[in-house]
Amino acid sequence: RDRDRRGHPMTYTATGCRVEPYDGELRRWLGATDHYLGNPPPGALFAVVVRSLVPGLMGDLVPAGERVGVCVVGRPVARKLPQDGSVGEVVRMWLAPGLEFGTASHVLRVAGEVAASRGMVALIAYHDRTRHTGCIYRKAGFKKDGATAPKTLGWGSRAGRASGAYEATPKRRWCLDLTLTATGCRGVGLTPDPVQPWTRRRRSSS
């Protein structure tokens, strides 16, 4: 099959996801792609890597072939958001052209499953409102959680670490509730009001 169900040409017809550490080699690979933001901020926790399927030792297909995409999850870039590992943020995502329609939302769902298995209560993401509609987040189960105004400066913990490709554009914030009760982002203690810092409320023992 060389086209997906929408008729788009496909280069990679069989892919899978696996969790990998975001190390120097993966960072260099992502830096060599055409991602418009370039290098991600520090603080990566894990990466969901998309690879082509190849025969494994038992003859079954496993995602161990060519790397064709990555979703990097780290601590929230905004310093007022929880930095204790309870909340993760999709800080970079890149997929090679030619992947099957729906791959992006699937990778986000996998990232959410991994985050939940690590005890996180929420996974957040932002999309540039001048470039995207955010439909991949909606399809992955994320909910709209406010918006941010353009800022004059990007992230940077010290000189030389700021993203050189930073663009001051409005962003839409999305949140995926990872709690068993599915109470929404307010229910897990994340207020969508961008003026107030996000806080994590204590849960009752009942």
Side-chain angles (χ1 to χ4, degrees):
R1 190 173 59 155
D2 59 357
R3 290 184 178 271
D4 66 16
R5 59 188 178 88
R6 283 196 169 186
H8 298 157
M10 293 170 55
T11 304
Y12 307 96
T13 57
T15 59
C17 298
R18 72 179 191 183
V19 179
E20 299 182 14
Y22 187 66
D23 55 16
E25 192 275 331
L26 183 53
R27 179 182 174 86
R28 288 188 294 272
W29 177 85
L30 179 57
T33 68
D34 58 357
H35 194 291
Y36 73 102
L37 286 178
N39 57 320
L45 298 174
F46 65 88
V48 175
V49 177
V50 184
R51 290 182 178 273
S52 58
L53 298 179
V54 297
L57 294 177
M58 305 301 295
D60 53 337
L61 296 177
V62 296
E66 180 186 0
R67 186 190 291 129
V68 294
V70 66
C71 174
V72 182
V73 174
R75 293 179 176 83
V77 175
R79 296 179 181 179
K80 291 183 178 180
L81 306 190
Q83 301 293 318
D84 59 358
S86 62
V87 176
E89 178 179 334
V90 177
V91 292
R92 286 295 183 274
M93 183 168 172
W94 181 86
L95 298 174
L99 293 173
E100 186 173 8
F101 178 80
T103 299
S105 56
H106 173 69
V107 172
L108 288 170
R109 286 192 293 270
V110 172
E113 293 172 359
V114 175
S117 71
R118 295 184 172 217
M120 295 183 185
V121 298
L123 182 64
I124 63 173
Y126 296 84
H127 87 263
D128 187 332
R129 303 178 77 181
T130 67
R131 290 176 174 266
H132 310 287
T133 63
C135 63
I136 62 172
Y137 300 104
R138 185 181 299 107
K139 290 176 60 178
F142 287 71
K143 304 297 183 183
K144 289 182 179 179
D145 195 40
T148 62
K151 298 177 177 62
T152 56
L153 297 176
W155 59 266
S157 56
R158 63 174 181 264
R161 295 189 74 173
S163 175
Y166 176 78
E167 299 178 4
T169 56
K171 305 293 194 302
R172 165 70 67 187
R173 186 171 65 220
W174 298 81
C175 181
L176 179 63
D177 182 6
L178 302 176
T179 63
L180 295 178
T181 55
T183 54
C185 293
R186 293 188 186 211
V188 300
L190 303 183
T191 170
D193 183 357
V195 177
Q196 301 294 328
W198 288 5
T199 58
R200 186 184 183 190
R201 302 192 188 101
R202 289 182 177 273
R203 298 187 188 179
S204 61
S205 57
S206 58

